[in-house]
Amino acid sequence: MNLAEGVQIVSFGILSLMVIGAALGVVLLSNIVHSAFLLGMVFASISGLYILLNAGFVAAAQILVYVGAVNILILFGIMLVNKQQDFVPLPNAWLGKLATAAVCGGLFALLSTMVLGTTWAISTEAAAGDGSVVLIGMHLFSDFLLPFELASVLLLIALVGAIILARREFIPDEQPGDPQPEGLKLPERPRDLVAVGSAPPDGDA
Amino acid sequence: MLNFLKQVGDYAKETAQSAKFIGQGLSVTFDHMRRRPVTVQYPYEKLIPSERYRGRIHFEFDKCISCEVCVRVCPINLPVVDWEFNKATKKKTLNHYSIDFGVCIFCGNCVEYCPTNCLSMTEEYELAAYDRHELNYDSVAMGRLPYKVTQDPMVTPLRELAYLPKGVMSPHDLPAGSRRAGKMPEEILDELEAAKEPADQAASDKG
Amino acid sequence: MTLGIDLQGSFVDALTGLGLPAGAAKASWLPLPMTLILIAATVSIFVTVWLERKISAAAQQRIGPEFAGPLGVLQAAADGLKLLVKEDITPAKTDPWLFTLGPAIVVIPVFLSFLVVPFGQNMVITDLGVGIFLWIALSSVTPIGLLMAGYSSNNKYSLLGGLRAAAQSISYEIPLALAVLAVVMMSNSLSTVDIVNQQAGYGILGWNIWRQPIGFLIFWIAALAECERLPFDLPEAEEELVAGYQTEYSGMRFGLFYVGSYVNLVLSALLVAVLYLGGWELPVSIGAIASVIGVSESTPWLQIVAAAAGIFMTLAKAYLLVFIAILLRWTVPRVRIDQLLDLGWKFLLPIALVNLLVTAALKLTFPIAFGG
């Protein structure tokens, strides 16, 4: 075993420990913000594993997309949601926990048998390394064009959906005769001041 | 379509305009970089306070007649005059006099109205203290004269803007004997006197 | 193409000549450039802080620091020393782990990004294939640290500052990445060394700024926003948020934020220099100079001079941009948060997309000029 291999094995061990430890933390910690930050650590450690696999581009993409975007969105969601919910002890909580443990154990057993049952063969082809960017690009625009486009359409739909949810026009306007809810009134600013004149439909003003 | 193109054009125009304005602002900032600093390097350089500067008040114990005019003209009755009536001389004798400069607003009314001129304004403005009660000056503290900025060997005295020669903006490195723009008050007085004298003479000749 | 000086090669050769195995020789080379870059980055903080103070002072007709060392050059060292020995307060009801980790997570990616900054043909820690993409990925980690700091401080201002910082970072990352993409499209490579080499050969005329003027502006604006420099320093806006996510920090943990922000500024300036201003290239190409003097380009002394000039040029370009950033700081007023997001999403993003499309079209039409 030479120097490089030793470094690889040691870093593989450390990274695996980090992934597993952080993932356990995500699931088991009671503070949801801690879980979210640990999720970021899981993603980052996985990107370290990608680097060990000589896939620098995938590693960078993993950090950019998962740590830099997904995890931050999760954190945003957690920090902006201001819902305090008191913990209500359930009468038969142990039952749910038991069921969860059973499902998780079953899943783990299934995956273990799959891992043990597969004959793993290390590919004799040299890893693409730095050339992987070109290879990924070519695959995306040839064999994987349809899934790629479908994924982007899916993202577009999600985007449009988010905009529709956030748009104000879809909040039903109040009719002039409707009684105004007390909570929405601004005492110091009468509403009429806003609607002095409507803008002309063409932008010639 | 045309409308849309017009909107795009307007938008581009606005963008170019704002870029131009930012450029103009940058050039102003850049221009300021080559100007001389206008700051006074305080503990080493100090501005000479003007003649009418209203600084910490000076008090002369012996002149005071304990009339309490200063207390009456003070907006908040600040001076504390502690006196006793001396039956033998039938005069008030002053025991203590104090002003709290943490509260004083330096309006100068007491100085203005003092009948014996025992109160006067000094040039002292460095009244920093660790405790605000330290600013409560008694007659001894008020009797001290401040150090003059022009006589302090540690300090480079700088003239204020109004005391600089005409067209000069920086008080540094003034030539010796350079005088400020405009006439001095005594010169104006002299001139007035000179103008009045012939008139007086004519009046006396006539009479 | 000139290869320049191969320091690593000569170092490894010298060590193997001394009887070391090749692997050990290579391994002993590894820490050298990293330490060098760490030191260089630290020194760059001192230089930048000094420049910031002096230029700010000049723009406001002040003198600035002048007693700590000649012309006040040691002021940053004095500041750093003060922060080191200052009491490190952890306020009540904070989350101590996150409170400590936050500044570290802000600083580490910034220093890591120096991996891909080239100062010369071989003056780069690693010429990674993913190059500039690594920087984009790493700079997207920073907001996590900011959110961490903001959340754990147990302070409304901190939380708002952290959220603002994260929103700002992720909004401006997109135009930034698109502007980089246009450059990458022209050089057919993500590697920073390749990007500079693609601009080489024609002196100042070959620099990307002539082919990507809009991209350059987009990148610079977005980089300023990523660094939270003044027109976009909303996360720490004193007038609104005390000091944003830094409010509760003191001592060395605050110092880490301070270091992070200045190193980030230098890093962004270096990357603008690499992407748009020809990196280590001189305004007149080395080949032209060599032919004028009448020496071969592979002459050892010319190569040494060229390497030194390359480092000098990179730093000179970067510090010119730092200067512009400082000047902008005293020129442009701070934008509001909605104006900031408007600028990012409604102005820079569409323009960056159009710029990308135009670059692609130009690349297809004039493959010679736009890197076919």
Side-chain angles (χ1 to χ4, degrees):
Chain A
M1 191 170 75
N2 60 23
L3 193 70
E5 269 179 38
V7 169
Q8 273 175 25
I9 285 176
V10 170
S11 26
F12 176 72
I14 293 173
L15 284 171
S16 318
L17 277 181
M18 273 165 67
V19 171
I20 294 169
L24 283 176
V26 172
V27 182
L28 297 178
L29 282 185
S30 58
N31 187 337
I32 192 170
V33 176
H34 287 179
S35 298
F37 280 125
L38 277 176
L39 190 64
M41 191 170 141
V42 175
F43 290 145
S45 318
I46 289 175
S47 123
L49 286 179
Y50 287 144
I51 293 177
L52 271 189
L53 291 171
N54 221 349
F57 183 78
V58 183
Q62 164 89 6
I63 289 203
L64 180 69
V65 174
Y66 282 94
V67 183
V70 171
N71 196 30
I72 286 189
L73 279 182
I74 290 174
L75 281 166
F76 245 91
I78 290 170
M79 287 184 184
L80 289 179
V81 172
N82 194 17
K83 196 179 180 193
Q84 287 247 330
Q85 199 165 25
D86 287 329
F87 180 68
V88 185
L90 289 169
N92 286 324
W94 61 273
L95 214 75
K97 279 183 185 164
L98 203 73
T100 319
V103 169
C104 291
L107 211 64
F108 184 73
L110 197 69
L111 283 173
S112 310
T113 48
M114 196 275 288
V115 167
L116 292 175
T118 318
T119 45
W120 298 96
I122 294 170
S123 159
T124 46
E125 273 179 63
D130 278 352
S132 60
V133 185
V134 180
L135 282 180
I136 290 171
M138 290 212 292
H139 279 301
L140 274 188
F141 284 97
S142 54
D143 353 341
F144 294 103
L145 184 61
L146 188 65
F148 177 70
E149 292 295 334
L150 277 181
S152 48
V153 167
L154 187 70
L155 284 177
L156 189 69
I157 291 170
L159 193 71
V160 171
I163 291 173
I164 285 180
L165 283 181
R167 262 173 92 107
R168 298 204 66 182
E169 274 115 292
F170 286 82
I171 300 171
D173 269 335
E174 292 155 39
Q175 298 304 313
D178 281 353
Q180 217 181 31
E182 274 304 309
L184 294 178
K185 267 188 202 161
L186 284 176
E188 69 275 15
R189 199 178 291 174
R191 291 189 108 221
D192 303 8
L193 282 183
V194 182
V196 169
S198 59
D202 283 329
D204 54 358
Chain B
M1 185 65 201
L2 262 175
N3 204 5
F4 174 72
L5 279 181
K6 187 176 175 303
Q7 273 180 337
V8 169
D10 287 350
Y11 195 64
K13 223 180 272 171
E14 265 176 47
T15 311
Q17 208 167 32
S18 49
K20 194 182 102 186
F21 290 150
I22 290 177
Q24 281 175 351
L26 273 178
S27 64
V28 169
T29 321
F30 193 79
D31 182 65
H32 271 260
M33 288 191 43
R34 55 170 195 79
R35 300 189 189 175
R36 267 207 73 148
V38 291
T39 43
V40 174
Q41 302 305 306
Y42 166 63
Y44 308 101
E45 298 174 344
K46 285 179 188 172
L47 287 179
I48 307 168
S50 71
E51 302 95 332
R52 298 181 186 180
Y53 192 81
R54 299 203 300 247
R56 195 258 296 163
I57 290 162
H58 179 259
F59 175 69
E60 259 175 274
F61 193 85
D62 299 333
K63 277 192 189 172
C64 182
I65 53 167
S66 317
C67 65
E68 292 196 20
V69 161
C70 47
V71 184
R72 266 176 277 146
V73 297
C74 181
I76 48 170
N77 303 342
L78 188 59
V80 179
V81 189
D82 174 20
W83 52 266
E84 261 174 322
F85 189 70
N86 190 335
K87 292 207 169 119
T89 55
K90 289 190 179 171
K91 273 180 184 167
K92 294 181 201 165
T93 39
L94 184 64
N95 291 335
H96 290 105
Y97 186 89
S98 67
I99 295 178
D100 189 348
F101 288 109
V103 189
C104 176
I105 59 165
F106 302 95
C107 66
N109 274 353
C110 47
V111 177
E112 196 78 11
Y113 284 94
C114 183
T116 56
N117 276 346
C118 67
L119 289 172
S120 55
M121 286 296 194
T122 66
E123 300 177 341
E124 189 183 348
Y125 50 85
E126 289 147 327
L127 292 170
Y130 283 104
D131 182 357
R132 64 196 167 95
H133 301 297
E134 285 174 30
L135 291 172
N136 194 351
Y137 279 39
D138 66 351
S139 46
V140 181
M142 284 171 69
R144 291 193 192 106
L145 276 172
Y147 227 77
K148 274 192 106 167
V149 171
T150 38
Q151 284 163 1
D152 193 339
M154 296 288 289
V155 172
T156 315
L158 295 179
R159 294 201 203 168
E160 280 176 357
L161 194 63
Y163 293 82
L164 295 176
K166 201 176 180 186
V168 178
M169 294 299 283
S170 160
H172 298 270
D173 309 321
L174 282 181
S178 55
R179 46 170 296 171
R180 69 170 160 100
K183 292 174 190 153
M184 299 290 198
E186 55 268 26
E187 288 172 350
I188 297 173
L189 259 181
D190 285 347
E191 265 174 41
L192 283 177
E193 294 285 316
K196 223 161 70 179
E197 253 166 41
D200 285 352
Q201 215 117 64
S204 61
D205 286 350
K206 227 179 231 175
Chain C
M1 181 175 291
T2 53
L3 275 173
I5 313 168
D6 187 6
L7 278 177
Q8 179 180 6
S10 0
F11 183 83
V12 171
D13 280 351
L15 278 192
T16 42
L18 287 174
L20 241 70
K26 234 177 174 173
S28 56
W29 163 260
L30 283 177
L32 288 182
M34 295 185 205
T35 339
L36 198 68
I37 288 288
L38 264 184
I39 294 170
T42 317
V43 171
S44 78
I45 303 167
F46 286 73
V47 177
T48 318
V49 170
W50 181 75
L51 277 179
E52 169 113 41
R53 286 174 158 241
K54 275 294 188 189
I55 295 170
S56 305
Q60 297 169 351
Q61 296 182 47
R62 294 185 284 117
I63 292 180
E66 59 166 355
F67 291 109
L71 287 174
V73 282
L74 294 178
Q75 189 63 48
D79 288 353
L81 202 66
K82 187 205 88 176
L83 286 177
L84 264 180
V85 297
K86 196 174 171 178
E87 186 190 357
D88 202 355
I89 300 167
T90 311
K93 287 193 184 171
T94 51
D95 195 322
W97 278 92
L98 296 184
F99 194 70
T100 313
L101 264 177
I105 291 184
V106 172
V107 168
I108 290 170
V110 179
F111 274 95
L112 270 184
S113 306
F114 271 93
L115 278 175
V116 292
V117 176
F119 290 90
Q121 179 70 43
N122 282 316
M123 314 266 174
V124 52
I125 298 184
T126 47
D127 179 14
L128 282 177
V130 290
I132 198 77
F133 187 57
L134 180 78
W135 172 64
I136 293 176
L138 283 175
S139 70
S140 74
V141 175
T142 321
I144 289 205
L146 302 179
L147 276 176
M148 226 181 233
Y151 168 76
S152 63
S153 291
N154 185 31
N155 180 324
K156 287 172 205 163
Y157 297 118
S158 294
L159 184 59
L160 279 177
L163 287 176
R164 273 190 184 185
Q168 181 172 334
S169 288
I170 48 180
S171 327
Y172 277 78
E173 211 138 77
I174 300 162
L176 191 81
L178 287 175
V180 169
L181 203 56
V183 172
V184 167
M185 206 188 253
M186 293 196 312
S187 53
N188 293 321
S189 165
L190 288 162
S191 150
T192 41
V193 176
D194 288 354
I195 289 173
V196 175
N197 277 334
Q198 179 261 340
Q199 306 175 51
Y202 302 99
I204 196 168
L205 291 177
W207 294 356
N208 270 343
I209 185 170
W210 307 121
R211 286 177 282 182
Q212 287 285 334
I214 296 168
F216 169 73
L217 286 177
I218 295 168
F219 187 89
W220 184 231
I221 294 172
L224 282 180
E226 290 271 304
C227 297
E228 286 148 24
R229 289 291 304 179
L230 197 88
F232 310 108
D233 75 334
L234 292 148
E236 353 172 339
E238 305 91 334
E239 294 87 355
E240 309 161 26
L241 291 183
V242 190
Y245 51 84
Q246 306 170 351
T247 308
E248 297 288 352
Y249 280 89
S250 72
M252 207 47 222
R253 278 183 275 195
F254 172 75
L256 278 182
F257 278 128
Y258 197 72
V259 162
S261 72
Y262 278 104
V263 176
N264 207 358
L265 176 65
V266 173
L267 179 74
S268 304
L270 277 170
L271 281 166
V272 175
V274 165
L275 288 174
Y276 293 99
L277 300 177
W280 63 82
E281 293 294 329
L282 301 165
V284 185
S285 73
I286 280 288
I289 295 175
S291 62
V292 166
I293 316 173
V295 283
S296 153
E297 245 181 276
S298 52
T299 332
W301 66 263
L302 185 74
Q303 286 206 351
I304 289 177
V305 169
I311 294 176
F312 174 77
M313 280 316 292
T314 317
L315 290 178
K317 288 165 189 170
Y319 277 103
L320 178 74
L321 289 159
V322 169
F323 172 74
I324 293 173
I326 297 169
L327 216 57
L328 266 173
R329 172 177 180 180
W330 299 111
T331 307
V332 188
R334 181 186 303 131
V335 293
R336 248 185 296 133
I337 184 80
D338 60 322
Q339 291 170 336
L340 175 98
L341 294 179
D342 263 11
L343 181 72
W345 288 105
K346 294 191 191 162
F347 181 72
L348 290 183
L349 182 62
I351 290 199
L353 280 172
V354 169
N355 183 47
L356 189 67
L357 280 178
V358 169
T359 311
L362 284 172
K363 182 175 163 152
L364 288 179
T365 343
F366 308 105
I368 310 152
F370 287 86

